[in-house]
Amino acid sequence: MRTFKGKPVSPGIAVGKVYQYKAFTCDVYETYVQPGGEQAALAAYRNAVREADAELGRIIGTFSPQDREQAKIFEAHRAILTDDEMDEEIRRAILEQQQSADFAVDRVCTEFAALLGAAPDANIAARAADVRDVRNRLLRILHGEKEHDLSRLPFPCVVVAHDLLPSDTATIDRNHVLAIVTEVGGATSHSAILARSFEIPAILGVPDATQALLDGGEVVVDALTGEVLAEPDAETLSRFRAQREAYLANRNETRQYLSLPAETKDGTAVEIGLNIGSGANWPENGGFSFVGLFRTEFLYMERDSLPTEDEQTAAYHKVLELAAGRLVTLRTLDIGGDKTLPALPLPKEENPFLGCRALRLSLNHRDLFLTQLRAALRSSVYGPIQIMFPMVGSLEDLRAGKAALEEAKAQLAAKGIPFDPDVPVGIMVEIPSIAILADEAARECDFASVGTNDLCQYLFAADRMNPLTAEYYQTFSPAMFRILNAVFGAFHRAGKPVSVCGEMAGDPEAAPVLLGLGLRKFSMNASAIPAVKRALRSVTLAEAEALARAVCAADTQSEVLALIRQHG
Ligand code: PEP
Ligand code: MG
């Protein structure tokens, strides 16, 4: 038996036989058409585009209405296929440089993919795979080959490939695929996103998987830990079969919790909030009573120009409509750090996470900030909304943010545009300085939400993006729980609402401790809701409080984890 390690991007366990998949590849040579042959080459390219468009239409047609998000990936492929800039470059390469149709398609698409792949933003860089997917489709059609994909697998199997394009994963035979293992690919790639939404266990980035895992050979895929076991012995096979059963039973049981009330075993009510990036991924099944974090920067990130005030108002209106009367917490732009805006080139900074990020950037780009604040205020007539500033480090920051909000109100009032003048204004607590000044901050704002992702990185001076500092980024350290305790206490004393919207709120191991520290508002990604409700419903308030006291009195993160696991 041999063990390999990769990155688990979609959880689960599988035991089965390997099916090696070799995606379509072809050699494209630098070839040119004879003078006079340009129009025929252009016609061949245009035909290939039409046929590719028809294939994509068929793929989109296979998705059910619940799979709208997946279908969007292929709508994006259609948009790439008809992208004016790319189309014009291919047309000119054929007509003006006499390049053959396949050479022109390959060259232009490869250049566009390389441009996207070099983007500092991981989400934009991951879109290079979509352009390559479209290129392969066109080349296959130009080379006269039939569609070759994973839509009909011969037996229940673990698909092993060098890489899977989004279209491979989207059309995969879901009745027969047990798991996916590839040599390349990242957690934000569309293949990973699709695998998660189809609940197919997946491990990416297993070096030499196609060499090591033989076609038809037995394999265990543990996509909880990232381990792949080739040629497992009988004992290992039966152990993992049992683990798989237990995992599936546990997942099904956890699902039942989504629609149950969020409360402790002895009936203390807790509010569950939702974190969203835009209205696009709105969860169908609910299970939450407010939107605790609307990360508005995502509206700005996927476009080349800044959204106008009207466009933003419309986007916020849509989210309020989806929220259907539930309070929406709109966080103003949080750009900088790892997030960049194509429409706003920023100077390079040595330490961008310690630089001109979030509220600091908004205060430096006042027009941008005022435009967003006016849009947020205008949307307040459509439903309950509150405005939250990210990266507040001092009372001066908070006051400057509030002054900008007053200016935006005055601008709207001068034009007679309606808005709610009493929109609550709050802060993210994610810089330790404001956590220390929480009593003072609580006097000057209406609410707070703790961003534990950043709070942890600034508290421990450990970059949240850097795998080399992962062991220093101690979310479960007693230091984190003590600082949280201080923040919750300050806002409760002031009678002001406080929530947590960092990843910690969606972690079922942290939830009972946060509850015991007094937290009653947890905001998280939709997928985390059932497990957190389950964790909260399995403790009494007194048990959670005792656990929180023990955790705060501990010395180290490992002691805290032991206490939590002993309790669970
Ligand atoms: C946080 O820092 O915890 C947070 C919720 O904000 P973001 O992850 O967007 O920085
Ligand atoms: Mg943050």
Side-chain angles (χ1 to χ4, degrees):
M1 182 167 80
R2 286 169 308 150
T3 305
F4 304 88
K5 218 155 158 64
K7 193 171 177 44
V9 297
S10 176
I13 294 175
V15 178
K17 290 202 184 337
V18 170
Y19 175 80
Q20 283 240 7
Y21 173 65
K22 291 199 180 41
F24 162 81
T25 54
C26 68
D27 293 324
V28 178
Y29 298 102
E30 182 174 349
T31 47
Y32 296 86
V33 292
Q34 298 292 337
E38 297 90 343
Q39 288 302 338
L42 185 63
Y45 160 64
R46 293 258 183 264
N47 272 336
V49 170
R50 260 193 301 280
E51 206 170 309
D53 190 62
E55 283 183 6
L56 287 168
R58 280 197 294 275
I59 296 177
I60 292 168
T62 63
F63 290 109
S64 60
Q66 298 93 281
D67 292 337
R68 256 195 343 254
E69 276 312 300
Q70 290 86 319
K72 275 194 189 150
I73 295 175
F74 297 94
E75 277 152 16
H77 284 198
R78 270 185 148 164
I80 294 170
L81 199 59
T82 50
D83 178 81
D84 285 344
E85 219 180 309
M86 230 163 70
D87 180 68
E88 176 59 16
E89 279 216 29
I90 295 173
R91 199 186 65 83
R92 284 190 14 217
I94 295 173
L95 292 185
E96 293 169 19
Q97 297 164 35
Q98 285 78 42
Q99 292 179 1
S100 60
D102 66 341
F103 177 48
V105 164
D106 184 46
R107 192 185 54 75
V108 172
C109 290
T110 305
E111 279 170 17
F112 271 77
L115 265 179
L116 283 172
D121 184 311
N123 288 313
I124 296 177
R127 301 294 80 82
D130 297 297
V131 176
R132 283 197 292 272
D133 199 334
V134 170
R135 176 198 59 189
N136 284 8
R137 187 176 296 282
L138 285 171
L139 289 179
R140 179 179 48 71
I141 295 168
L142 284 167
H143 287 212
E145 284 202 34
K146 284 215 167 49
E147 238 177 319
H148 159 69
D149 57 30
L150 292 164
S151 63
R152 272 195 179 53
L153 292 169
F155 50 86
C157 57
V158 172
V159 172
V160 175
H162 171 66
D163 190 11
L164 287 186
L165 290 168
S167 59
D168 294 323
T169 317
T171 53
I172 207 162
D173 178 353
R174 286 196 249 165
N175 292 324
H176 287 115
V177 62
L178 301 174
I180 291 171
V181 176
T182 68
E183 294 178 335
V184 297
T188 56
S189 67
H190 269 142
S191 278
I193 295 168
L194 285 166
R196 279 196 290 277
S197 68
F198 294 159
E199 296 185 333
I200 304 170
I203 304 183
L204 310 187
V206 179
D208 298 328
T210 57
Q211 303 292 318
L213 304 171
L214 300 180
D215 209 18
E218 204 82 48
V219 69
V220 167
V221 177
D222 184 348
L224 301 176
T225 64
E227 279 190 358
V228 180
L229 312 176
E231 296 136 38
D233 52 45
E235 190 274 322
T236 309
L237 277 177
S238 67
R239 184 158 47 87
F240 274 95
R241 284 201 180 105
Q243 279 187 20
R244 178 169 183 274
E245 290 309 309
Y247 170 79
L248 292 177
N250 186 46
R251 192 178 70 185
N252 286 340
E253 203 184 321
T254 301
R255 277 207 187 121
Q256 324 285 325
Y257 285 80
L258 179 67
S259 52
L260 296 181
E263 60 186 22
T264 60
K265 211 184 203 169
D266 52 342
T268 301
V270 171
E271 283 181 71
I272 300 290
L274 176 72
N275 292 355
I276 53 162
S278 69
N281 304 335
W282 195 263
E284 310 258 321
N285 300 325
F288 57 92
S289 60
F290 68 108
V291 174
L293 176 62
F294 173 14
R295 289 181 162 105
T296 56
E297 56 274 9
F298 286 94
L299 296 174
Y300 293 66
M301 275 162 65
E302 285 175 1
R303 43 186 293 158
D304 301 329
S305 58
L306 292 170
T308 63
E309 184 178 322
D310 285 348
E311 283 172 329
Q312 287 184 60
T313 309
Y316 303 158
H317 181 180
K318 183 178 155 214
V319 168
L320 283 163
E321 246 172 32
L322 289 165
R326 288 171 282 202
L327 177 63
V328 171
T329 311
L330 179 147
R331 179 176 77 178
T332 61
L333 203 54
D334 184 355
I335 289 300
D338 60 327
K339 297 182 206 133
T340 53
L341 279 193
L344 188 72
L346 297 170
K348 189 174 154 28
E349 293 178 295
E350 284 299 328
N351 293 302
F353 273 113
L354 301 181
C356 194
R357 191 192 148 187
L359 179 64
R360 300 172 184 177
L361 187 134
S362 293
L363 292 170
N364 270 348
H365 293 78
R366 207 168 177 81
D367 282 345
L368 181 90
F369 195 28
L370 287 172
T371 306
Q372 179 171 40
L373 292 173
R374 285 194 303 271
L377 286 165
R378 280 172 57 184
S379 69
S380 65
V381 299
Y382 302 116
I385 193 164
Q386 54 184 11
I387 295 175
M388 176 163 76
F389 301 130
M391 288 277 291
V392 172
S394 64
L395 272 282
E396 286 92 334
D397 285 351
L398 170 56
R399 289 173 194 163
K402 285 171 68 179
L405 187 63
E406 289 310 310
E407 190 176 335
K409 285 183 188 172
Q411 289 171 339
L412 291 179
K415 288 194 179 158
I417 299 173
F419 64 91
D420 172 3
D422 299 319
V423 167
V425 51
I427 58 169
M428 289 211 54
V429 175
E430 49 187 350
I431 301 182
S433 53
I434 204 71
I436 293 168
L437 292 171
D439 278 308
E440 290 73 8
R443 265 185 243 130
E444 298 196 19
C445 65
D446 300 313
F447 69 94
S449 189
V450 186
T452 47
N453 310 339
D454 277 316
L455 182 61
C456 188
Q457 89 165 336
Y458 297 129
L459 192 60
F460 288 92
D463 184 346
R464 67 192 255 193
M465 308 289 287
N466 183 351
L468 296 177
T469 54
E471 66 179 295
Y472 299 101
Y473 183 92
Q474 297 196 341
T475 323
F476 281 86
S477 159
M480 268 302 274
F481 290 106
R482 288 186 210 172
I483 200 166
L484 289 169
N485 192 26
V487 175
F488 300 162
F491 277 80
H492 287 152
R493 277 191 295 281
K496 308 263 171 92
V498 58
S499 63
V500 172
C501 64
E503 290 301 300
M504 204 172 175
D507 185 329
E509 288 200 304
V513 188
L514 298 175
L515 171 80
L517 292 175
L519 187 71
R520 296 292 179 269
K521 289 172 185 285
F522 295 66
S523 192
M524 64 201 73
N525 301 325
S527 60
I529 297 175
V532 169
K533 281 192 178 171
R534 186 178 186 178
L536 294 171
R537 291 178 63 91
S538 67
V539 285
T540 64
L541 186 58
E543 284 164 354
E545 284 172 349
L547 176 64
R549 272 194 301 277
V551 159
C552 285
D555 294 339
T556 62
Q557 170 164 270
S558 43
E559 270 176 54
V560 170
L561 287 170
L563 281 165
I564 291 175
R565 286 170 193 166
Q566 187 181 317
H567 160 270

